[in-house]
Amino acid sequence: MVRKYVFGNPFETEAIVKEVEAEQGTPAYGEISLEEGFSFTYRLAEDDMVYGLGEANRGLNKRGYCYISDCTDDPEHTEDKRSLYGAHNLVVISGEQNVGLFFDYPSRLVFDIGYTREDTMKVSCEAADLYLYVIEGENAYDIVKQFRKLIGRSYIPPKFAFGLGQSRWGYKTREDFENVAKGYRENQIPLDMIYMDIDYMQDYKDFTLNEKEFSDFPDFVQGMKEQGIRLVPIIDAGVKMEEGYSVYEEGVKNNYFCKREDGSDFAAAVWPGYTHFPDVLNPEARKWFGDHYRDLIDQGIEGFWNDMNEPAIFYSKEGMEELKQTLRKCIEDDVEEIPVWLLGDKVAAMANNKEDYKRFYHNINGKKIRHDKVHNLFGYNMTRAAGEAFERIYPDRRFLMFSRSSYVGMHRYGGIWTGDNKSWWSHLLLNLKMMPSLNMCGFLYTGADLGGFGADTTRDLLLRWLALGVFTPLMRNHAAVETREQEPYQFERVEDFRGIIETRYRLIPYLYSEYMKAALEDDLYFKPLAFVYPEDSVALRVEDQMMIGNEIMIAPVYVQNARGRYVYLPEEMKFVKFSKEGAYTEQVLEKGHHYVEVALDEVPLFIRKDRCIPVAKAAQCVEKIDTTNLELLGYEGAEYTLFEDDGIHKDYENPANYKVLKK
């Protein structure tokens, strides 16, 4: 049961695609106050759990902390951070009452979930202009599935996107990319994608190529494809201000950029220096920007990743002028000791300054809307620009697309990666806990930078993180410039890395099938144990084990120097460990608590009782996987429904895509 309530004059985010008639009055749950903006207060029972919020910090159960939906470019994902890159305003209360709440509001929204008072959840925002959707259901899982139907089908990538991707900020030359391909292929490590970070562009200009390194780009792209490898370039939100650069000149001429209040184009510095932001909330500007993806598609590119689209701002012209005034004052006042701490704070505050977000406007149906009022929609609509363009350019083909910043609704156009994490064991665990929360909000094609983006990884951390990445739909090893090189072949005993990555390719028939079922049935790919075993009081509280699809449970090792871990089995399961050269072991474990040993070169999973999963032989890329001779692991007599299509087109509903296999 879904009820919709309207407060004030909401902005149409288009997060919801199913028509729901608005009701009069206020919800039966919680208390609404409109005295100072908007607030919703709900009294939590002692054992209530709160799920949702998509890309948010801390645990799977969000109770006990304060979270703020305010898309933020912040690479320091420490435990005290309240905002990350996404804004996913769904919470699901599970306990004495089961109710879901979606606050469709595109600006800063605060979720105090038992932080100020442990028995109180308070959701508040500055303006009382929003839609509130209240969803009643039998349990949390039922509520989430209802929500998924409200927001529309999740993005479906091409099948090659389920292979491994290698990335690094710092690959600059054609030779750099060729060396990565060579490193993988010579070591017989499977690979499907190499990502191109900002250095492939000419002077960091969107939709351009470094003229010296990539003068024959179509031939380069084709040569990589012949090795089974796709190149996936990055696109940033800011368009460089430069005379003679056609994208800039088109945007200025046609008023496609965000404006200051006086009508001039707003300027902010990002990687290229001063840039303008395309007004992607304006349908005409969105179409124009999206159509430019063709510039690279026509050269053979089949996938992209959108970045810096919170939008990130290093500083604005206005912010730079304020800093200059501070310096002038220090000089004019003849200050003997310049207050370095003050200047340091001033410089740091220039990046992603909230005042800058009040300095520019969007043109929406001829009306000027100040950016901070719709801030959380920018990344969503940048990726929407690409998704809508793909539909125009090749309507029957799938393209790889994922983004850093997002809002509910963007899940229909692309996936997300969880941004600039660190090579920390705590971020390996955070990666695991984020996945089901993101699925609840529609984002199925998700993953983190395996091994960590910032800081220096270690051999054991990368191996353990890859063993989790085996199961995330987006499996990408990505690192920052000036960090330790973390391609698998950079480490000793490369065969350990090969074995783990081969396990991913062996499991792709299962992982792809379960992804497609989840997308086509508005279901979850990652599920908390509590969703599958709601009557099991122990399973309700487990946060470091997840169900994937309908057949398996995973329990990754996420502690340095650990040789195994404790797991809880809600039912009898078959414990399988994959290792090198296609080897694996099986062991039936009864319901209850167990300590299981897991070596660094092993990938563990648990198959549910009376279930089975298909396993292929490893291949060097997804296209080479043989799905005609699959082995079934699990329980004798079990059946599995395999989903298999061509992985490129959109013939999803064809009954021929489904095949029942019996062990």
Side-chain angles (χ1 to χ4, degrees):
M1 172 71 72
V2 180
R3 291 186 168 89
K4 174 183 177 181
Y5 299 90
V6 183
F7 299 92
N9 184 28
F11 184 86
E12 300 296 336
T13 68
E14 300 181 69
I16 301 293
V17 297
K18 185 177 179 181
E19 189 66 34
V20 180
E21 188 173 340
E23 301 201 7
Q24 300 298 315
T26 57
Y29 302 90
E31 298 175 4
I32 303 285
S33 173
L34 306 179
E35 290 183 6
E36 296 182 8
F38 170 90
S39 70
F40 172 92
T41 304
Y42 183 94
R43 300 297 175 189
L44 295 165
E46 183 177 353
D47 291 329
D48 281 351
M49 299 179 69
V50 182
Y51 297 107
L53 294 185
E55 185 184 26
N57 215 338
R58 298 199 171 208
L60 180 58
N61 179 3
K62 296 298 186 288
R63 190 165 178 174
Y65 200 57
C66 185
Y67 311 85
I68 301 175
S69 283
D70 187 24
C71 296
T72 302
D73 170 25
D74 183 347
E76 300 297 326
H77 303 171
T78 48
E79 218 174 293
D80 60 329
K81 294 301 168 66
R82 300 184 180 187
S83 300
L84 296 175
Y85 305 100
H88 309 133
N89 301 338
L90 170 73
V91 288
V92 179
I93 300 161
S94 176
E96 282 192 6
Q97 299 179 119
N98 295 299
V99 59
L101 303 159
F102 176 59
F103 300 85
D104 194 3
Y105 181 74
S107 189
R108 189 176 189 271
L109 187 64
V110 178
F111 292 84
D112 182 332
I113 307 178
Y115 173 71
T116 301
R117 283 184 55 91
E118 67 176 16
D119 66 347
T120 303
M121 179 178 78
K122 184 176 181 180
V123 183
S124 57
C125 55
E126 182 181 71
D129 297 309
L130 72 157
Y131 294 112
L132 170 57
Y133 292 83
V134 179
I135 309 170
E136 298 174 324
E138 295 179 7
N139 50 44
Y141 189 19
D142 176 40
I143 289 166
V144 166
K145 287 193 284 188
Q146 289 186 62
F147 179 67
R148 292 287 309 286
K149 291 189 182 300
L150 280 179
I151 61 177
R153 178 177 289 175
S154 296
Y155 160 76
I156 297 175
K159 193 172 184 180
F160 74 77
F162 288 81
L164 176 70
Q166 179 61 57
S167 184
R168 182 176 177 84
W169 174 21
Y171 298 156
K172 296 183 179 182
T173 67
R174 176 170 177 159
E175 185 180 15
D176 288 338
F177 293 97
E178 289 173 336
N179 284 340
V180 172
K182 181 180 179 182
Y184 271 90
R185 291 296 182 242
E186 286 189 348
N187 286 284
Q188 297 183 299
I189 305 171
L191 183 70
D192 269 88
M193 292 155 286
I194 302 177
Y195 289 86
M196 306 181 80
D197 212 318
I198 55 176
D199 293 306
Y200 83 90
M201 303 181 206
Q202 183 66 46
D203 303 322
Y204 306 128
K205 292 182 290 190
D206 280 341
F207 311 113
T208 69
L209 297 156
N210 182 298
E211 296 163 0
K212 177 184 175 183
E213 294 295 335
F214 304 111
S215 57
D216 56 349
F217 194 60
D219 289 341
F220 179 40
V221 173
Q222 182 58 33
M224 282 292 184
K225 283 185 188 178
E226 290 170 2
Q227 299 182 58
I229 296 170
R230 265 85 170 181
L231 294 172
V232 183
I234 196 170
I235 303 294
D236 278 354
V239 173
K240 182 177 175 61
M241 296 167 56
E242 182 182 277
E243 296 298 328
Y245 170 34
S246 62
V247 181
Y248 165 73
E249 291 183 340
E250 291 167 9
V252 171
K253 177 182 177 181
N254 294 290
N255 290 312
Y256 288 151
F257 293 127
C258 294
K259 304 285 188 180
R260 295 186 181 92
E261 189 170 14
D262 65 7
S264 62
D265 291 327
F266 176 73
V270 202
W271 295 117
Y274 278 118
T275 68
H276 293 324
F277 293 130
D279 186 1
V280 288
L281 274 69
N282 174 350
E284 290 182 11
R286 186 166 65 240
K287 179 181 184 301
W288 161 76
F289 190 77
D291 283 344
H292 271 288
Y293 285 81
R294 182 190 283 272
D295 300 351
L296 293 167
I297 290 171
D298 286 348
Q299 300 185 69
I301 292 299
E302 298 175 56
F304 301 86
W305 48 307
N306 285 346
D307 196 9
M308 306 296 285
N309 53 358
E310 291 70 36
I313 294 176
F314 293 169
Y315 55 86
S316 67
K317 288 196 171 183
E318 291 86 345
M320 182 61 75
E321 185 57 38
E322 290 173 1
L323 179 63
K324 289 177 180 176
Q325 289 174 7
T326 301
L327 285 169
R328 287 192 197 105
K329 190 173 189 311
C330 289
I331 294 168
E332 289 169 3
D333 291 350
D334 196 22
V335 177
E336 280 191 29
E337 296 181 6
I338 294 177
V340 175
W341 59 269
L342 175 62
L343 292 180
D345 288 347
K346 283 276 188 183
V347 171
M350 291 173 70
N352 306 311
N353 190 311
K354 303 302 180 188
E355 292 304 309
D356 282 334
Y357 292 134
K358 298 177 182 178
R359 289 179 171 132
F360 64 97
Y361 291 76
H362 298 273
N363 173 13
I364 301 170
N365 299 321
K367 184 179 179 181
K368 286 200 308 185
I369 304 290
R370 202 173 74 190
H371 173 79
D372 64 311
K373 304 297 184 183
V374 291
H375 171 69
N376 292 336
L377 302 182
F378 192 92
Y380 160 22
N381 280 278
M382 179 186 173
T383 298
R384 179 181 179 180
E388 291 173 341
F390 300 156
E391 285 289 329
R392 291 191 297 273
I393 297 167
Y394 286 110
D396 64 336
R397 289 182 68 90
R398 301 180 232 169
F399 284 81
L400 171 59
M401 167 52 68
F402 57 92
S403 171
R404 191 169 76 176
S405 182
S406 60
Y407 184 85
V408 172
M410 198 207 82
H411 71 286
R412 300 190 294 270
Y413 303 99
I416 67 167
W417 94 102
T418 57
D420 296 345
N421 61 4
K422 291 289 180 69
S423 297
W424 297 341
W425 290 91
S426 61
H427 279 183
L428 166 52
L429 179 58
L430 181 59
N431 179 181
L432 177 65
K433 292 182 177 183
M434 275 188 182
M435 294 297 102
S437 301
L438 283 163
N439 280 199
M440 292 176 203
C441 297
F443 294 92
L444 298 186
Y445 190 72
T446 56
D449 288 342
L450 303 176
F453 175 73
D456 292 324
T457 197
T458 60
R459 183 178 186 276
D460 57 342
L461 175 58
L462 181 55
L463 282 165
R464 293 299 194 197
W465 215 327
L466 286 167
L468 166 59
V470 161
F471 301 101
T472 59
L474 170 57
M475 184 184 188
R476 181 174 76 151
N477 178 339
H478 183 42
V481 67
E482 297 183 357
T483 62
R484 179 181 189 177
E485 293 180 325
Q486 62 184 49
E487 297 84 3
Y489 51 81
Q490 305 286 1
F491 297 89
E492 69 270 26
R493 297 194 300 281
V494 70
E495 63 272 14
D496 292 351
F497 293 90
R498 181 191 308 120
I500 287 177
I501 295 167
E502 284 183 342
T503 298
R504 164 64 167 219
Y505 282 72
R506 299 191 69 201
L507 291 173
I508 280 177
Y510 175 74
L511 302 176
Y512 181 72
S513 291
E514 294 306 300
Y515 184 97
M516 295 301 293
K517 293 172 192 174
L520 297 175
E521 298 167 15
D522 299 318
D523 204 341
L524 305 184
Y525 171 88
F526 276 99
K527 303 183 188 79
L529 268 61
F531 281 25
V532 179
Y533 305 99
E535 305 303 321
D536 188 318
S537 61
V538 178
L540 285 176
R541 301 290 169 177
V542 173
E543 294 209 359
D544 61 352
Q545 303 169 208
M546 300 297 168
M547 311 303 297
I548 291 183
N550 297 301
E551 281 73 25
I552 71 172
M553 181 185 79
I554 64 168
V557 177
Y558 53 86
V559 176
Q560 183 176 347
N561 296 321
R563 297 189 176 185
R565 57 162 292 169
Y566 286 94
V567 296
Y568 173 69
L569 304 188
E571 62 176 320
E572 177 192 300
M573 293 185 182
K574 184 166 282 190
F575 178 41
V576 180
K577 291 192 291 186
F578 293 89
S579 55
K580 294 185 282 288
E581 298 178 356
Y584 64 87
T585 62
E586 297 178 285
Q587 178 186 4
V588 173
L589 298 177
E590 63 184 17
K591 174 182 177 179
H593 296 274
H594 300 268
Y595 179 81
V596 295
E597 293 189 353
V598 182
L600 275 174
D601 64 347
E602 293 178 323
V603 178
L605 61 80
F606 300 81
I607 302 175
R608 297 176 66 186
K609 187 177 181 182
D610 299 326
R611 309 286 177 99
C612 65
I613 64 171
V615 177
K617 291 184 178 179
Q620 288 295 290
C621 62
V622 169
E623 290 177 339
K624 299 293 185 182
I625 296 174
D626 179 6
T627 57
T628 61
N629 296 291
L630 297 173
E631 180 180 5
L632 293 174
L633 298 185
Y635 287 83
E636 292 297 326
E639 293 184 346
Y640 181 75
T641 301
L642 181 76
F643 183 98
E644 186 177 13
D645 58 7
D646 68 5
I648 299 169
H649 298 97
K650 300 179 180 178
D651 186 20
Y652 305 133
E653 316 301 336
N654 190 340
N657 293 335
Y658 295 89
K659 182 180 179 182
V660 177
L661 309 175
K662 186 170 183 177
K663 180 170 171 62

